[in-house]
């Protein structure tokens, strides 16, 4: 009679490796339902819980695993793959060995190689209803050797990266986690601080939720600081967090915090993507396209696009609309913290990028008009700039870039680049005329200050003519005339007949609206004469 083959393990073991359930778990109803649908949708599902650092992926996965324990009677395995950690990630063989031991395999029967361990693990789990939680994965390659073999097994992977390769090779079903909505953020504060303390200051609690950007890690650190200081009001903490200089420091406590989490994400990126992230700390707006990113980082738009996609895969950016990327508030603050490590010429390149692209947008928005300015003598042309098909495309660019352009004016002033600042202030004139009562006066006054600072008479005329027209459209005719009366003489002294003509046109229009029809007519006639002398129609800027 032939000898029987020895069993792989001597007794049936039901492993329970889950960490303790998370305390104060809040919200996530829609995401939990999405995960349940993904798990129940087919055989041997691999579900991929992704999201930015500090969003609560591990707590979410462990909470769900405890809630569904009964669905996995053959046990629950857990491994921290330390993909984003200061400690080295475990080798696949080390993880598989722990899994085999948990499944009851005697140590002396565990193979020596990782490949053989993987084969044994898949064999042991072939007929099991087992849950495997692989937490904090860095890459798809790290995960694949650890997948069980049974059709009734479920694998739950968490990662700060999108792990698109795992979706392609193993049909992993993504379950993205975003920042908590305001109500759930306040509920998380309540779970740590108690209902009475939060109910006493509901407005401050809501503001804290906003300052923490709905990020569970930031909310928990803030709540921990308040719990340690029962004499503090929530409103006092609001005041502390509202100060950008100290915000990130407050959101770190012992070995836990937002900066530490983001640092670990960043150190796993390829150096070009990490360099791009540091460059983003110099950006003057809230979102940007590949051309602006390329200018900041000193690279081509194509390379910038690849690096932006890599940052988005790591959940450091979000592509809010096709072709435009934005970080969450705390990520942006961290990038600003790293800005001193970026190329110091990045901001100068960005400003020149906006100067050049603004002229291209002007030409598309108002074909045939004279450019609002000539480029500065030391201007550095960007290696590539976007093209505008028509007026609508140009106006859409102005709208999207308006905050960044206004920020670029302030940055140029701070850097002493006043010859750039006034140009960036007037380059948006097509959008100004389209949305004339949209608060342009402060920007134009800043531009006028810069034009006066550099002593450029033609620049002063152009800014005053535009500023006067905007003031007139806002119903502030007395202020408008103060600006418009000076604009023609400044242009004449500069020897620019076109600027002089437009100044007279704007002055005449305002005088006509105030009842001085005779002088208005005279000025309009003179403007036409000046324009005819130059062979150009009067420009509108």
């Amino acid at each position: 009679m032939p000898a029987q083959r020895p069993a792989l393990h001597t007794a049936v073991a039901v492993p329970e490796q889950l960490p303790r359930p998370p305390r104060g778990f809040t919200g996530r109803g829609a995401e939990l339902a999405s995960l349940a649908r993904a798990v129940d949708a087919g055989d041997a599902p691999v579900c991929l819980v992704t999201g930015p650092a500090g969003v609560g992926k591990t707590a979410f996965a462990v909470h769900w695993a405890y809630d569904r324990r009964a669905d996995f009677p053959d046990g629950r395995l857990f491994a921290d793959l330390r993909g984003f950690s200061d400690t080295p990630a475990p080798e696949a063989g080390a993880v598989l060995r722990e899994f085999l031991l948990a499944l009851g395999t005697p140590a002396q029967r565990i193979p020596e190689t990782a490949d053989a361990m993987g084969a044994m693990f898949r064999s042991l789990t072939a007929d099991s209803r087992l849950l495997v939680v692989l937490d904090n994965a860095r890459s798809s390659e790290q995960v694949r050797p650890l997948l069980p073999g049974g059709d009734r097994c479920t694998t739950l992977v968490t990662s700060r990266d999108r792990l698109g390769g795992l979706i392609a090779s193993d049909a992993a079903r993504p379950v993205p986690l975003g920042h908590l909505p305001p109500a759930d953020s306040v509920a998380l504060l309540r779970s740590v601080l108690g209902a009475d303390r939060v109910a006493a200051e509901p407005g401050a609690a809501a503001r804290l939720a906003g300052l923490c950007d709905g990020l569970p890690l930031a909310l928990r650190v803030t709540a921990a600081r308040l719990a340690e200081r029962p004499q503090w009001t929530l409103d006092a903490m609001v005041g502390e967090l509202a100060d950008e200089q100290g915000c990130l420091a407050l959101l770190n406590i012992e070995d836990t915090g937002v900066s530490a989490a983001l640092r670990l994400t960043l150190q796993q990126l390829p150096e070009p993507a990490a360099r791009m992230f540091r460059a983003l700390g110099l950006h003057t707006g809230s979102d940007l396209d590949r051309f602006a990113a390329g200018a900041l980082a000193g690279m081509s738009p194509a390379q910038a696009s690849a690096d932006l996609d890599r940052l988005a895969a790591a959940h450091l950016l979000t592509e809010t609309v096709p072709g435009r990327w934005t970080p969450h508030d705390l990520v942006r603050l961290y990038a600003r913290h790293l800005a001193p490590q970026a190329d110091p010429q990045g901001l100068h390149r960005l400003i020149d990028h906006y100067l050049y692209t603004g002229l291209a947008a002007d030409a598309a928005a108002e074909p045939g008009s004279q450019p609002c300015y000539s480029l500065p003598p030391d201007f550095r042309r960007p290696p590539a700039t976007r093209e505008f098909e028509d007026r609508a495309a140009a106006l859409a660019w102005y709208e999207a870039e308006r905050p960044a352009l206004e920020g670029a004016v302030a940055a140029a002033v701070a850097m002493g680049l006043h010859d750039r600042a006034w140009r960036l202030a007037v380059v948006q004139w097509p959008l100004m005329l389209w949305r004339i009562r949209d608060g342009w006066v402060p920007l134009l006054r800043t531009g006028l200050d810069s034009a006066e600072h550099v002593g450029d008479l033609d620049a002063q005329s152009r800014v005053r003519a535009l500023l006067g027209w905007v003031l007139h459209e806002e119903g502030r005719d007395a202020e408008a005339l103060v600006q418009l009366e000076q604009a023609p003489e400044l242009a004449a002294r500069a020897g620019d007949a076109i600027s002089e003509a437009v100044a007279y046109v704007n002055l005449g229009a305002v005088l006509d609206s105030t009842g001085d029809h005779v002088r208005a007519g005279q000025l309009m006639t003179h403007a036409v004469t000046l324009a005819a002398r130059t062979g150009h129609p009067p420009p509108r800027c």
Side-chain angles (χ1 to χ4, degrees), residues 298-346:
M299 61 180 62
S300 71
Q303 180 60 52
S305 183
D307 289 336
L308 291 168
D309 281 337
R310 187 66 194 84
L311 293 175
H315 293 93
L316 291 169
L317 297 177
T318 301
E319 193 174 5
T320 47
V321 297
R324 295 198 70 85
W325 288 264
T326 184
H328 276 282
D329 290 343
L330 293 178
V331 175
R332 181 183 297 109
L333 193 58
Y334 184 66
R336 288 176 184 166
H337 172 71
L338 299 181
Q341 303 174 27
D343 181 352
Q345 292 300 311

Side-chain angles (χ1 to χ4, degrees), residues 9 25 33 73 139 176 190 205 207 252 312 327 360 374 457 468 497 510 516 536:
H9 50 79
F25 183 83
S139 66
R190 189 182 301 116
R207 290 192 294 276
N252 293 313
S374 60
L457 299 181
V510 174
D516 193 347
H536 291 280

Side-chain angles (χ1 to χ4, degrees), residues 1-7:
M1 188 173 177
Q4 289 186 333
R5 296 173 61 187

Side-chain angles (χ1 to χ4, degrees), residues 241-441:
L241 287 180
D243 176 15
E244 286 193 358
Q245 299 301 316
C247 179
L248 285 177
L250 281 171
L251 294 178
N252 293 313
I253 188 167
E254 292 189 356
D255 60 347
T256 299
V258 173
S259 294
L262 291 171
R263 175 181 58 80
L264 293 173
T265 301
L266 201 62
Q267 73 182 19
Q268 296 297 334
L269 292 174
E271 177 51 30
R275 185 171 69 249
M276 171 62 75
F277 183 81
R278 293 189 293 270
L280 295 182
L282 299 170
H283 187 44
T284 57
S286 57
D287 64 345
L288 78 172
D289 63 13
R290 62 194 178 101
F291 296 97
L296 281 166
M299 61 180 62
S300 71
Q303 180 60 52
S305 183
D307 289 336
L308 291 168
D309 281 337
R310 187 66 194 84
L311 293 175
H315 293 93
L316 291 169
L317 297 177
T318 301
E319 193 174 5
T320 47
V321 297
R324 295 198 70 85
W325 288 264
T326 184
H328 276 282
D329 290 343
L330 293 178
V331 175
R332 181 183 297 109
L333 193 58
Y334 184 66
R336 288 176 184 166
H337 172 71
L338 299 181
Q341 303 174 27
D343 181 352
Q345 292 300 311
L347 190 52
H348 201 304
R349 288 194 301 265
L350 179 73
I351 289 170
D352 280 3
H353 157 74
Y354 281 135
L355 285 178
Y356 191 83
T357 308
L359 285 182
D362 279 0
E366 298 292 339
S369 291
Q370 185 194 42
C372 282
Y373 49 76
S374 60
L375 293 165
D378 60 343
F379 167 81
R380 290 172 289 186
R381 179 171 176 170
T385 55
R386 64 180 302 153
E387 298 178 355
F388 300 96
E389 296 178 358
D390 50 28
R391 184 172 191 269
L395 289 175
W397 180 82
Y398 281 127
E399 286 235 67
E401 296 288 356
R402 179 178 175 181
L405 287 167
E406 293 185 0
V409 172
V413 170
M415 296 169 67
L417 299 175
H418 293 281
D419 59 337
R420 267 87 169 160
W422 76 261
R423 288 173 165 89
L424 289 173
V426 301
V427 77
Q428 301 175 74
W429 70 271
L431 184 64
M432 292 182 191
L433 298 186
W434 186 41
R435 296 173 54 175
I436 194 71
R437 296 179 180 86
D438 208 20
W440 299 102
V441 170

